[in-house]
Amino acid sequence: MDSPEILNARQIAQKLNRISYQIYEHHLGEKEIFIAGIDGNGYLIAKRITEILKKISPIQIKLGKIKINKSSPLAEAPKIDFRESDFKNKSIVLTDDVLNTGKTLFFALKVFLDTPVKRISTAVLVDRSHTVYPIKIDFVGLSLSTTLQEHISAELEPKGKEKVVLV
């Protein structure tokens, strides 16, 4: 039995386009924004948002990836593919695909806590409304109430065949 589809490729593109315009509007007057994606789907979303922002705004966009041990985030420090100078005193948008408990985003924020920044915003494609950690999502593609037993899977590759399904 196939899993019920929540979003198809066209709908995902629309959601990411809307999120990108909201980020642009929220950061009017900024010269530069740093978009950081959680390794995997969060980074794919960050890349797509970056592509859209580069088309629709004059703001300089820098992109970075945060690799975090999702099952045991305290076991090792997050790994990054950028330098502190890329985000110091800048506005940051931290992205992921699906917000479950907020644990991944919460521990990914650790990367930015020892450096002065203008502001940090968060963006997710799907918010399941089960947060346990004190995380507020600023830009959401779809808010969806699910049971704790249900899971959301975002399949973001290959491009044009993306989908979000309920598992």
Side-chain angles (χ1 to χ4, degrees):
M1 182 175 155
D2 284 336
S3 300
E5 188 173 88
I6 296 167
L7 296 171
N8 61 32
R10 182 184 54 78
Q11 292 166 321
I12 290 170
Q14 288 172 332
K15 302 286 184 199
L16 294 178
N17 202 41
R18 182 174 51 79
I19 288 170
S20 299
Y21 272 96
Q22 288 175 326
I23 290 170
Y24 177 35
E25 290 171 6
H26 191 74
H27 293 90
L28 282 174
E30 292 288 339
K31 290 182 170 74
E32 190 172 340
I33 301 173
F34 184 75
I35 310 283
I38 306 293
D39 190 34
N41 283 342
Y43 183 69
L44 292 176
I45 287 172
K47 277 176 52 176
R48 295 196 188 161
I49 288 172
T50 297
E51 291 168 6
I52 296 166
L53 284 169
K54 285 182 176 183
K55 289 178 188 172
I56 65 172
S57 84
I59 301 171
Q60 280 289 116
I61 311 295
K62 285 191 176 180
L63 175 65
K65 183 190 305 181
I66 301 173
K67 187 172 181 136
I68 188 166
N69 180 340
K70 293 181 182 186
S71 60
S72 186
L74 292 174
E76 57 189 278
K79 293 176 178 55
I80 56 176
D81 71 348
F82 50 89
R83 297 178 314 274
E84 181 181 299
S85 61
D86 290 333
F87 65 85
K88 186 175 183 177
N89 297 316
K90 295 187 177 78
S91 291
I92 299 164
V93 180
L94 181 60
T95 65
D96 206 0
D97 57 345
V98 178
L99 177 71
N100 292 307
T101 64
K103 180 169 87 172
T104 303
L105 285 174
F106 184 82
F107 283 100
L109 284 170
K110 186 177 181 182
V111 169
F112 305 108
L113 294 181
D114 294 329
T115 306
V117 298
K118 276 190 181 176
R119 75 175 118 184
I120 299 177
S121 307
T122 53
V124 296
L125 181 59
V126 179
D127 178 359
R128 290 186 57 210
S129 306
H130 290 296
T131 53
V132 175
Y133 288 78
I135 290 292
K136 176 183 150 289
I137 302 302
D138 300 291
F139 311 106
V140 178
L142 177 69
S143 292
L144 185 65
S145 294
T146 61
T147 68
L148 291 173
Q149 292 74 34
E150 295 172 314
H151 296 281
I152 302 292
S153 175
E155 299 167 17
L156 300 176
E157 289 186 309
K159 203 165 185 177
K161 301 211 184 277
E162 306 94 338
K163 63 184 173 179
V164 175
V165 295
L166 183 66
V167 184

